Amino acid sequence: MFGETIIGIADYFRPNTFSLYSILIFLTVALLFFTYALQFDKFTDEDQDDVTGNALIYLHYLIIFGISLITVSIKFIHETDANSWFAVLCLYCGVGLFYLGLLFATRYNKPQFKLRRSTILVFLITTIIGATACLIWSSFEVITILTFIIVAINISWLVHLNLPHIKKGILL
């Protein structure tokens, strides 16, 4: 799905459309991918007894739908004919579904990476603030910058909380 998102944002990298916002859009997608990879490649305990992992399969529907909504909204958020409220709601519903899927996946985390209440609060508050601010100031530039900032804050928080384990080499 992230590959489809990269293809979806390719229009922002043409000579006549390339700008700082193109880079921010790409970085937003890259940070979402990094968040996903951190959760599923590093935090997930693959050696749990008595766990089938079926819920892990089904929670990916939330993540897939979220990434799809993000892709669709990024494709038409720059269009002047598009309804900016709809685009923002699509974008932040997608971000919300993505984070909700990650939230449900944390039940499979290694003990040292169990979900903290502060992480849920940070992700929830930043996403709501980002959506609200983008609805109020619904220009392409503001939406692009704020969405990048929100995703960057969330992944920074996740890395910050797990930095002691990263320093110990547990993630490597």
Side-chain angles (χ1 to χ4, degrees), residues 27-48:
L27 289 174
T28 300
V29 172
L31 289 175
L32 287 170
F33 177 74
F34 181 65
T35 305
Y36 177 86
L38 196 60
Q39 170 60 42
F40 289 102
D41 288 346
K42 302 299 180 184
F43 291 176
T44 302
D45 184 2
E46 297 169 357
D47 299 322
Q48 294 182 22

Side-chain angles (χ1 to χ4, degrees), residues 21-68:
Y21 304 108
S22 305
I23 295 168
L24 290 178
I25 289 170
F26 175 77
L27 289 174
T28 300
V29 172
L31 289 175
L32 287 170
F33 177 74
F34 181 65
T35 305
Y36 177 86
L38 196 60
Q39 170 60 42
F40 289 102
D41 288 346
K42 302 299 180 184
F43 291 176
T44 302
D45 184 2
E46 297 169 357
D47 299 322
Q48 294 182 22
D49 295 331
D50 302 326
V51 175
T52 63
N54 286 337
L56 197 59
I57 293 168
Y58 291 115
L59 67 83
H60 269 81
Y61 285 128
L62 293 171
I63 295 169
I64 290 168
F65 290 145
I67 296 169
S68 296

